[in-house]
Amino acid sequence: MYSLSAADLELQARARAFADELIPHEQTAEENGGRLPEALARAHHERALELGLYATNVPAAAGGRGCTALQQVLVQEQAGRVTNALGWCMHTPPSWWPEVANDLQRERWLLPTVRGEMQECYAITEEGAGSDVSGIRATARRDGEHYVLDGEKWHVTSYNEAAYAFFQAVLTEGPNAGQQAMFVVELPSPGVRVVRVPAYSHTIGHEHPIVAFDGVRVPATHLVGGEADGMRFAYEWFRFERLMVAARCLGAAERLVEEATRFARERTVQGSPLIERQLVAAMLADSATELFAARAMTYETARSVDEGADRKLLHGRCSMVKLFASEMANRVADRAVQVFGGRGYMRENVAERFYRELRVERIWEGASEVQQLIVADQLGKRGLEALVC
Ligand SMILES: Cc1cc2nc3c(=O)[nH]c(=O)nc-3n(C[C@H](O)[C@H](O)[C@H](O)COP(=O)(O)OP(=O)(O)OC[C@H]3O[C@@H](n4cnc5c(N)ncnc54)[C@H](O)[C@@H]3O)c2cc1C
C-alpha cells in the first residue's frame, strides 16, 4: 500500500516498534506533569539516536540521517501515535541551518544538536504578533562587533530543555533596517529572563514560557545567514513543520481509530457489541475514511518534496495537508471520546489526552484560517491545477 519501498517499510517498522515502547509510559507522564523520571527520558533519547530516528531531516553531510521527506513523514507519523509528546525524542533539528551556518555556529551548536547533545528552541511569536510574523516588535541593533537584542517572546516551546534559542528581531538601523534577522542566543545569557511559565491544555514536559530579552549582547557571528534572512528561514521551517504536523496527526488518528474500534468491539451495550450500533459504527467509519484521505495527501506531498517540486507550490500543498490532517485528527479525537463514553473523559484514556493535545495542531505553525488563506492565495495566483493536479 502507498507504494513504499523496502527501505521505507523497514524505517516505518523501526519507528513503529519504538513508538510502541514509549506508549506504556504515557500514563506516568500524564500523572507527573508530562515528565518521566530523568533516567527513563534519557534512555528514550539514547534509543531514538541508536535506532536512527533522530535528525532524520538533516542531510548526512551535516551528520543527520539524510532521510527522504517521505521517510521523515513515516517516522513522525509514528511519533504522533504517542501522547504527552513522548515521541518528541525523535527530534528534527532545523534542517535549513546546515546550508547557512557559519563555522562557529556549525561547531558550537549545529553539529552537537544533530548528534543529540543539545537542543534548540524558537523565539519568534510575541504578545502582539503570532499569525502575522511580519508584526514582531523585537529589535536588533548593531553595536560594533555585536548586536543588542530586545523583546519579549511568547510560547517558547522547549525553552526548559534548550541550550540556545533562535531569536527573531527587526533590525533598527543600517542598510537592512526594518528587515527581520535571526540570531542564536545561548541559554542562559545575561539579559534573558523567564517572565512566567503558563500552564497549557496538554500535559507535556516541554514548557512554553514567556521570555524577556533585555539588552542581550551577542557577537555578530551569532547572526544566522544574512541580516535580511529571518523570514526566509521562518518560511522554510513552516513548510517542513506543517508537513510534520500533518504526519503526527496521522499517527494520532490511527491510534485513536484503533483504540476506539477495539473498545467498540469489546463493549457490550443492551446485549450487543457497541460496534454493531450504527451511529457508533458511522463515527468509526468516518474516522477511518478521513484518515485514509489525509494519509494519501500527506504521503503524496512528501513525494513532491522529494521530487523537487517548486517551493511556492509546496508552500500551498504543505498548508493543505496541515489544514486537512489537523482538522481531521481533531474530529477523530472528538468522536473517539464519544465512543469511549465516560471513560473517554478520564485522563487515563488515550482519547481524552489526544482530545486536549491535538487542539493545538489547529493553531501552531499557522492556524487553520491562515492555511486557508495561503491555499486560497495560491489558487488565485496559480490556479487549481498547480495545487491538486
Ligand atoms: C503550545 C504552543 C506552542 C508554541 N510554540 C511556539 C514556539 O516554540 N515558538 C514560537 O515562536 N511560537 C510558538 N507558538 C505560537 C504559535 O505559532 C501562535 O500561537 C500561532 O501562530 C497563532 O498566533 P497567535 O496565538 O498570536 O494568534 P493570532 O495571530 O492572534 O490569531 C488568533 C486567531 O485568529 C485567527 N486568525 C489569525 N489571522 C487571521 C487571518 N489573517 N484571517 C482569519 N483569521 C485569522 C485564527 O483563528 C487564529 O487562531 C506556540 C503556540 C502554542 C499554543
Side-chain angles (χ1 to χ4, degrees), residues 122-127 129-132 154-157 200 202 208 360 362-367 369-370 373:
Y122 279 84
I124 299 176
T125 301
E126 299 174 5
E127 184 175 12
S131 302
D132 181 12
W154 274 49
H155 311 296
V156 186
T157 298
Y200 286 73
H202 55 206
H208 319 279
V360 76
R362 293 168 55 196
I363 297 170
W364 62 14
E365 307 302 341
E369 294 72 18
V370 171
L373 292 175

Side-chain angles (χ1 to χ4, degrees), residues 149-167:
L149 311 178
D150 284 281
E152 189 177 278
K153 297 295 185 176
W154 274 49
H155 311 296
V156 186
T157 298
S158 306
Y159 181 88
N160 56 323
E161 310 276 345
Y164 60 96
F166 288 108
F167 178 87

